[in-house]
Amino acid sequence: MTGLVLRDARVEDAAATSDIVVEAGRITAVLPAGTPHPLGATDPQGAHETIDCAGRVVLPGFVEAHIHPDKAHLDGLRAPRGATLADAIAVTLDLKREFTHDDVRDRSRRVVESAILNGTTTLRAHPDVDPVAGTLGVEVLIELREQYRDFIDIQIVAFPQEGILRAPGTDKLLRLALAAGADVVGGCAYQEDSVEDCRRHVDLVLDLAAEHGVPADLHADFADDAGDPRQSMAEYVAEATRRRGLGGRVTLGHMTSLAGRPRRERMAVMRELAAAGVAVVPLPATDLHLGGRSDTRAVRRGVAPVRELWETGVVTATASNNIRNAFTPYGTGDLLDIALLLAQTGHLSGPADLRRVLRMVTYDAARVVGIAENYGVRVGAAADLVVLDTDRYDDIVLDRPERTHVIKAGRVVARTTRTRQLVNAPAA
Ligand SMILES: [Zn+2]
């Protein structure tokens, strides 16, 4: 097989359809549908594969910017004592003591395969790195990154879930994980005992990022409000990022407490994040499940203020975070489900908002994980594509249509067919 042609494809929101020509893993032409295509020159036998898209929408592959495959599918093993963030961390720490290589691999593999089936072509995984789990999650993800390299790009974040200063030895393990092949250094800014230690944690993570020339991706400000000063590290991260010249390479996940700060204050914080080049990734499935647990009336939604993040120019994506564990007892690894959840809980509606939400799992997520240069349905971009069973771009987040074909580097890696029809429906 020397190439692939997607015939009669609707490139995102285009009114007319196109033929998308792919050679050697890249998009080499996007032509009005039916135009004789240049594959003939390099492929005289016509041995290329053709997909007849029949007017369906083609998007660049979804980007899962934040997920924990090593901790997925733990639900049902042991119930947490309650349903707060602290309860989820505690029960998962207990379960982690029993993790084996095979068990972590099997659960992680389930996550990776469902992501691919759902149209995800790049995934940033945050396996735990701490004195209990060691670097097991990183080792497993390195194995899967290699095994699935023709199906999906996996980025590995070395994630200190239990803190760094309060879990002695973690800094050394983070270095080991980076040496072994982790792509990103993670952080968990609120998992220290004092504000000073939270700051030291941020500094340690960003120093490691600078030293190893890798991006940083921290969990931060994950509470209903910023009453606990350990849960308002955003300004400090912005300043620390700027100081090290790491703009465009630092991401903060959750950031729910932002929504609990007075409007003037939070707008100022978001402008600082935008100016420093720090991205934000709200994780609504987890944020909604763990948030507002102390509220007995008017329970808070606990999701970062998405529209204000847009307004202040912060690069903002959204992602799954956890699949079926104490942090998030839901999830299928389908980013369109997350997009719809974010829209429903963020007062986001109508075509303009929904287009922007769709960008949060495509173009904006690509910026977060640093692949924007090669991303998109355009000549020169990587041929990482998803064909959706719809011709209505504006309804994608609402309908979450089947992903009929998922294409990685020009090769079909997943197919879905489903037939639904009304039987003996009345004539129009
Ligand atoms: Zn996370």
Side-chain angles (χ1 to χ4, degrees):
M1 198 74 63
T2 56
L4 171 70
V5 179
L6 287 91
R7 287 188 42 234
D8 200 17
R10 193 170 306 280
V11 176
E12 308 191 49
D13 59 346
T17 58
S18 301
D19 293 343
I20 303 168
V21 182
V22 172
E23 291 167 276
R26 300 218 153 251
I27 298 172
T28 53
V30 180
L31 307 161
T35 312
H37 59 74
L39 256 187
T42 54
D43 182 25
Q45 278 79 44
H48 59 270
E49 183 176 357
T50 299
I51 298 171
D52 182 5
C53 295
R56 292 186 181 90
V57 172
V58 175
L59 296 178
F62 298 136
V63 177
E64 175 66 82
H66 183 134
I67 196 163
H68 299 267
D70 58 321
K71 293 190 291 201
H73 299 291
L74 292 174
D75 58 332
L77 288 184
R78 197 168 305 161
R81 280 183 292 272
T84 65
L85 172 60
D87 295 321
I89 291 174
V91 73
T92 308
L93 176 61
D94 268 359
L95 290 166
K96 236 180 338 192
R97 298 183 203 284
E98 292 154 31
F99 279 6
T100 65
H101 188 99
D102 287 2
D103 150 58
V104 174
R105 184 198 56 218
D106 292 350
R107 288 183 292 96
S108 299
R109 188 196 298 275
R110 253 175 100 180
V111 171
V112 168
E113 293 196 348
S114 61
I116 297 166
L117 285 164
N118 286 314
T120 297
T121 52
T122 300
L123 172 150
R124 179 177 273 189
H126 286 249
D128 284 14
V129 170
D130 55 59
V132 172
T135 56
L136 174 60
V138 171
E139 289 157 33
V140 167
L141 263 303
I142 287 173
E143 199 179 302
L144 295 180
R145 181 174 67 186
E146 185 56 30
Q147 281 174 2
Y148 285 85
R149 63 181 303 159
D150 295 334
F151 295 78
I152 189 167
D153 286 326
I154 298 177
Q155 296 183 0
I156 302 167
V157 185
F159 171 51
Q161 168 79 82
E162 311 300 333
I164 300 176
L165 300 156
R166 65 190 278 273
T170 301
D171 53 345
K172 199 170 158 212
L173 289 166
L174 290 174
R175 286 177 181 279
L176 275 176
L178 288 165
D183 307 283
V184 180
V185 55
C188 200
Y190 48 80
Q191 270 288 54
E192 303 294 354
D193 295 324
S194 66
V195 183
E196 293 67 37
D197 280 358
C198 290
R199 290 185 174 164
R200 284 173 63 199
H201 180 119
V202 169
D203 285 328
L204 236 147
V205 169
L206 296 190
D207 283 342
L208 270 178
E211 181 188 328
H212 289 259
V214 297
D217 196 330
L218 296 93
H219 292 58
D221 296 3
F222 187 15
D224 293 317
D225 56 46
D228 177 346
R230 297 175 306 154
Q231 297 288 10
S232 54
M233 295 303 293
E235 299 95 316
Y236 188 77
V237 172
E239 182 205 318
T241 298
R242 214 195 301 252
R243 233 187 295 136
R244 292 170 179 81
L246 286 173
R249 292 168 71 75
V250 176
T251 300
L252 298 177
H254 297 294
M255 297 299 292
T256 54
S257 67
L258 253 187
R261 297 169 77 164
R263 181 175 154 85
R264 187 190 291 265
E265 181 184 317
R266 66 176 185 260
M267 294 301 274
V269 171
M270 286 183 263
R271 280 191 283 269
E272 280 180 48
L273 291 173
V278 177
V280 171
V281 181
L283 302 161
T286 306
D287 299 343
L288 286 158
H289 179 67
L290 297 179
R293 291 288 176 168
S294 61
D295 297 338
T296 53
R297 53 197 285 260
V299 176
R300 283 169 285 186
R301 294 175 182 220
V303 177
V306 172
R307 189 183 300 285
E308 292 173 352
L309 286 162
W310 293 349
E311 285 169 7
T312 47
V314 178
V315 174
T316 310
T318 191
S320 300
N321 194 36
N322 280 290
I323 308 286
R324 303 189 198 189
N325 61 19
F327 297 89
T328 315
Y330 318 108
T332 58
D334 186 345
L335 281 167
L336 289 183
D337 285 353
I338 298 296
L340 179 62
L341 180 64
L342 190 76
Q344 288 166 328
T345 51
H347 290 158
L348 306 169
S349 61
D353 281 0
L354 294 179
R355 283 171 172 237
R356 192 78 197 255
V357 169
L358 190 56
R359 289 185 70 89
M360 293 174 75
V361 294
T362 53
Y363 287 91
D364 295 333
R367 289 179 72 184
V368 165
V369 305
I371 61 165
E373 266 177 43
N374 288 311
Y375 190 81
V377 190
R378 56 176 175 80
V379 173
D384 293 355
L385 303 166
V386 56
V387 184
L388 294 113
D389 193 13
T390 184
D391 58 3
R392 294 190 303 270
Y393 178 86
D394 284 337
D395 289 343
I396 288 173
V397 172
L398 303 176
D399 288 337
R400 290 153 294 133
E402 300 293 350
R403 313 321 116 81
T404 65
H405 299 80
V406 183
I407 295 151
K408 179 67 191 172
R411 207 173 65 89
V412 177
V413 293
R415 272 198 197 93
T416 297
T417 50
R418 187 159 79 122
T419 307
R420 305 169 78 199
Q421 57 191 157
L422 289 175
V423 178
N424 298 330

